Amino acid sequence: MRRRHFIAVLALTGSLLALPALAAEQSKPTPTTKELLARSKPAEWRTPDPENLLLMRLPRGQVVIELAPDFTPLHAANIRTMVRAHYFDGLAIVRVQDNFVTQWGDPASDDHGDKSKLRSLGKARSTLPPEYTRPIDPKLEWTALPDGDVYAPEAGFSEGFPAARDTASGQEWLTHCYGMVGVGRDNGPETGNGSELYVVIGQAPRRLDRNLAIAGRVLEGMPLLSGLPRGEGPMGFYDKPAERTPIESVRLVSELPQAQRPIVQVLRTDSATFAALLDAQRHRHDAFYKVSSGKVGLCGIEVPVREQARTPAKH
Amino acid sequence: MRRRHFIAVLALTGSLLALPALAAEQSKPTPTTKELLARSKPAEWRTPDPENLLLMRLPRGQVVIELAPDFTPLHAANIRTMVRAHYFDGLAIVRVQDNFVTQWGDPASDDHGDKSKLRSLGKARSTLPPEYTRPIDPKLEWTALPDGDVYAPEAGFSEGFPAARDTASGQEWLTHCYGMVGVGRDNGPETGNGSELYVVIGQAPRRLDRNLAIAGRVLEGMPLLSGLPRGEGPMGFYDKPAERTPIESVRLVSELPQAQRPIVQVLRTDSATFAALLDAQRHRHDAFYKVSSGKVGLCGIEVPVREQARTPAKH
């Protein structure tokens, strides 16, 4: 009983609730995300360009990552070059640090790795300009959040990704929210190249914003990256090679035969349905909630994803 | 190389850096958390009352939880009553929902559970007053954070726990940051009793603040709760009983023989060293960071814990 009800409520909180626009409707419980999404229009969903979608195959399933070339175009291009050369096939998840990141790449680049076995980057570049921020471009979607942000002057969503901006400097950037994929690098700002990637698996480490290039976002398969045993070596690296999760392959979806392509759609962050979800998150009222927060933080809402046709929806 | 340097940097970000007080010192790299903690004084560390410490034994290790009786005294008392009666022994982790919570309790209370097998609460109360907030008490420590908070008028730390307050209402409350342990309940505000507990394993679900009682915080062993495979049933419940993690036992540390007691200490959140850690988090400068955030969010900093003597330190 207790659990059943707590389940029901968390079904709502794991997703979102909608705020009826009129005070007269306040007595109705807020509809669930599922209900709001069911009412959404087809045009409110964006189908990512298959040139921007990576499919990473792991022993227990597949992960779909959307690249963010509007923010990190050179990194997207370099990652595509590596993926087309099958650079990641046979590499591994080498690190899982609790409440921080899961990281994958070439095990030979570990501190104790055999550097003579480092995989060649092939035609990919070994260094890239930082791309930590970009000039604000009015042509890019910007959906501002109304409740402020601890770390940035303004927070919101751009092209489906959590982002922040500073009109004083004229810059905008993607933010380190749960599921965002960043580019590991050396101390030098040009030392990242996309061959080592990490994904945020805990509380958003926003201090990393503007210090690392963000390559994109995991659209599907986060549990395959977040639910791994934590590495017991320094910084969450696995002590023993056998603890690593092997990467079977990474492919650009554009390279796959049509029949193998996941049909993934992302709710447009400039859509009325996304606005309703945000509003619902802020002004929740139902049998469970005693008080609504009245607020929503940037990393407190995940942009809905749906997969159609060949595989069942994950969200 | 790339990884080695990224490791070194994340060693800092996984922990914290200190800000030299003088501009003249800005050329020195910020010391690491490890360095700052090494300089801390013994009096800056608090040894939790063993009456407030729970030791949960799982197949892969043990979890130490500190109860928060200053905020949820009736829940602490009820949980102690259940623990003394060995209520949790043989129960299980029944749910792991990605980017949300890990939950444990009586599997018989599942939707499909056999209600005739529900374990008796014994002398523990089946309902409790909510204890979602409490009146602000000037006798309780309050260390305010300087950078604001999206969800509350004021955020900070009280008695070692992340907390928020509203001087307008005169209330303060613990917040749903990573590692905080909450009390599952039914729709009614008095339906929680502590027999079903959850811990935050993802981005802080701050919308739950003031809607659920927070019983305490995991001081040690988070990876045993966060690194579990996500449940594939609705809301992250495990579909199959075999997927659950059995709870071998939960004991009050005060009940254990001295030789079996973990010697856990928590950095005082009103200490100079904690202030230095906060300052470092805000104004980081070193070879890796190109910009410091200048800010720190409530759930962006974990209060340091150390374990002495009989078992190796986890932090």
Side-chain angles (χ1 to χ4, degrees):
Chain A
M1 280 288 284
R2 288 187 305 281
R3 171 155 316 120
R4 188 167 62 245
H5 283 266
F6 189 47
I7 293 168
V9 166
L10 293 181
L12 305 179
T13 62
S15 48
L16 300 161
L17 303 177
L19 174 70
L22 303 173
E25 292 179 354
Q26 291 278 336
S27 59
K28 292 185 195 170
T30 313
T32 65
T33 291
K34 190 176 174 183
E35 290 165 343
L36 282 172
L37 294 182
R39 295 178 204 160
S40 66
K41 297 186 174 67
E44 294 187 302
W45 294 85
R46 177 173 63 84
T47 301
D49 186 338
E51 276 284 289
N52 292 336
L53 287 182
L54 304 180
L55 187 69
M56 177 161 66
R57 291 202 175 93
L58 300 173
R60 290 174 176 273
Q62 65 187 35
V63 174
V64 178
I65 296 169
E66 182 180 13
L67 297 174
D70 287 323
F71 288 84
T72 45
L74 298 173
H75 285 79
N78 217 45
I79 290 169
R80 285 191 204 102
T81 299
M82 288 185 277
V83 167
R84 286 203 176 94
H86 298 183
Y87 171 81
F88 289 99
D89 296 17
L91 298 185
I93 294 171
V94 292
R95 173 192 191 196
V96 184
Q97 183 173 355
D98 196 50
N99 193 19
F100 196 37
V101 298
T102 290
Q103 187 174 331
W104 59 96
D106 189 345
S109 72
D110 265 6
D111 270 358
H112 304 293
D114 181 349
K115 298 294 180 293
S116 72
K117 294 185 178 171
L118 268 178
R119 189 170 291 198
S120 164
L121 295 178
K123 293 178 180 172
R125 295 169 64 178
S126 60
T127 66
L128 288 175
E131 299 189 313
Y132 303 156
T133 68
R134 60 155 292 148
I136 292 173
D137 181 349
K139 289 194 295 294
L140 292 183
E141 176 227 332
W142 176 252
T143 300
L145 284 171
D147 301 312
D149 182 68
V150 168
Y151 292 89
E154 203 180 347
F157 292 86
S158 181
E159 307 292 320
F161 298 103
R165 48 166 57 182
D166 177 11
T167 51
S169 68
Q171 296 291 303
E172 59 188 333
W173 56 90
L174 299 185
T175 53
H176 279 83
C177 295
Y178 196 90
M180 295 298 278
V181 176
V183 177
R185 66 163 168 87
D186 199 341
N187 276 350
E190 302 205 351
T191 54
N193 56 44
S195 64
E196 293 172 18
L197 298 168
Y198 61 88
V199 62
V200 174
I201 61 163
Q203 177 70 22
R206 297 284 307 279
R207 62 190 177 272
L208 299 180
D209 292 356
R210 298 181 293 154
N211 282 291
L212 289 150
I214 292 186
R217 174 184 172 225
V218 172
L219 299 184
E220 295 198 333
M222 267 305 291
L224 299 170
L225 301 171
S226 60
L228 296 170
R230 278 47 184 155
E232 296 189 353
M235 314 317 306
F237 278 83
Y238 288 117
D239 284 331
K240 307 180 190 78
E243 296 176 311
R244 297 174 185 144
T245 299
I247 296 171
E248 295 176 355
S249 66
V250 179
R251 293 289 178 274
L252 270 171
V253 167
S254 58
E255 293 185 296
L256 297 174
Q258 286 288 345
Q260 288 178 29
R261 297 186 181 186
I263 305 178
V264 178
Q265 292 191 307
V266 183
L267 187 67
R268 292 186 64 96
T269 42
D270 57 358
S271 67
T273 294
F274 189 69
L277 290 170
L278 284 174
D279 215 32
Q281 174 88 331
R282 300 173 69 226
H283 303 287
R284 179 184 311 274
H285 66 101
D286 59 25
F288 183 84
Y289 274 81
K290 306 312 163 192
V291 291
S292 71
S293 64
K295 310 282 182 177
V296 62
L298 175 60
C299 297
I301 184 164
E302 290 183 275
V303 179
V305 175
R306 67 181 183 186
E307 185 165 344
Q308 297 187 311
R310 288 184 290 272
T311 56
K314 303 277 175 57
H315 292 263
Chain B
M1 279 289 280
R2 290 185 303 281
R3 171 151 320 118
R4 189 167 62 245
H5 283 267
F6 190 46
I7 291 169
V9 166
L10 292 182
L12 305 181
T13 60
S15 48
L16 299 160
L17 303 178
L19 174 69
L22 303 174
E25 294 179 352
Q26 291 279 336
S27 58
K28 291 186 195 170
T30 314
T32 64
T33 292
K34 190 176 174 183
E35 289 166 344
L36 283 173
L37 294 183
R39 296 178 204 160
S40 67
K41 297 186 174 67
E44 294 187 303
W45 294 85
R46 178 174 61 84
T47 302
D49 186 337
E51 275 285 288
N52 292 336
L53 287 182
L54 304 180
L55 186 70
M56 177 160 67
R57 291 202 175 93
L58 301 173
R60 289 175 176 273
Q62 64 187 36
V63 174
V64 178
I65 296 168
E66 181 179 13
L67 298 173
D70 287 324
F71 287 84
T72 43
L74 298 173
H75 286 79
N78 218 45
I79 290 170
R80 285 191 203 102
T81 299
M82 286 184 279
V83 168
R84 287 203 175 92
H86 299 184
Y87 171 81
F88 289 99
D89 297 17
L91 298 184
I93 295 171
V94 293
R95 173 192 191 196
V96 184
Q97 184 173 356
D98 196 50
N99 193 18
F100 195 38
V101 298
T102 290
Q103 187 175 331
W104 58 96
D106 189 345
S109 71
D110 265 5
D111 270 0
H112 304 294
D114 180 348
K115 297 295 180 293
S116 72
K117 293 185 178 170
L118 268 178
R119 189 170 291 199
S120 165
L121 295 179
K123 293 177 181 172
R125 294 169 64 179
S126 60
T127 66
L128 288 174
E131 299 188 312
Y132 302 157
T133 67
R134 58 156 294 150
I136 293 174
D137 181 350
K139 291 193 296 291
L140 291 184
E141 176 225 334
W142 176 253
T143 300
L145 284 171
D147 301 313
D149 181 69
V150 168
Y151 292 89
E154 202 179 347
F157 292 86
S158 182
E159 307 292 322
F161 299 103
R165 49 166 57 183
D166 178 10
T167 51
S169 69
Q171 296 290 305
E172 59 188 333
W173 56 91
L174 298 185
T175 53
H176 280 83
C177 295
Y178 196 90
M180 295 297 279
V181 176
V183 177
R185 67 164 169 86
D186 200 340
N187 277 348
E190 303 205 350
T191 53
N193 56 45
S195 64
E196 292 173 17
L197 297 168
Y198 61 88
V199 62
V200 174
I201 61 163
Q203 176 70 22
R206 296 285 305 280
R207 61 189 178 275
L208 300 180
D209 291 355
R210 298 180 292 155
N211 282 291
L212 289 150
I214 292 186
R217 176 185 171 224
V218 172
L219 299 185
E220 294 198 334
M222 268 305 290
L224 299 170
L225 301 171
S226 60
L228 296 169
R230 278 48 183 154
E232 296 188 352
M235 313 319 307
F237 278 83
Y238 289 118
D239 283 332
K240 307 179 191 78
E243 297 176 310
R244 297 174 184 144
T245 299
I247 296 171
E248 295 177 356
S249 66
V250 178
R251 293 288 179 275
L252 271 172
V253 167
S254 58
E255 292 186 297
L256 297 175
Q258 286 288 345
Q260 288 179 29
R261 296 186 182 186
I263 305 180
V264 178
Q265 292 190 307
V266 184
L267 187 67
R268 292 185 64 97
T269 42
D270 57 359
S271 67
T273 294
F274 190 68
L277 291 170
L278 284 174
D279 214 32
Q281 175 87 331
R282 300 172 69 227
H283 303 287
R284 177 184 313 271
H285 66 101
D286 60 25
F288 184 84
Y289 274 81
K290 307 312 163 193
V291 291
S292 72
S293 64
K295 310 282 182 177
V296 61
L298 175 61
C299 297
I301 184 163
E302 291 184 275
V303 179
V305 174
R306 68 181 183 186
E307 183 165 345
Q308 298 187 310
R310 287 184 291 273
T311 56
K314 303 278 175 60
H315 293 264

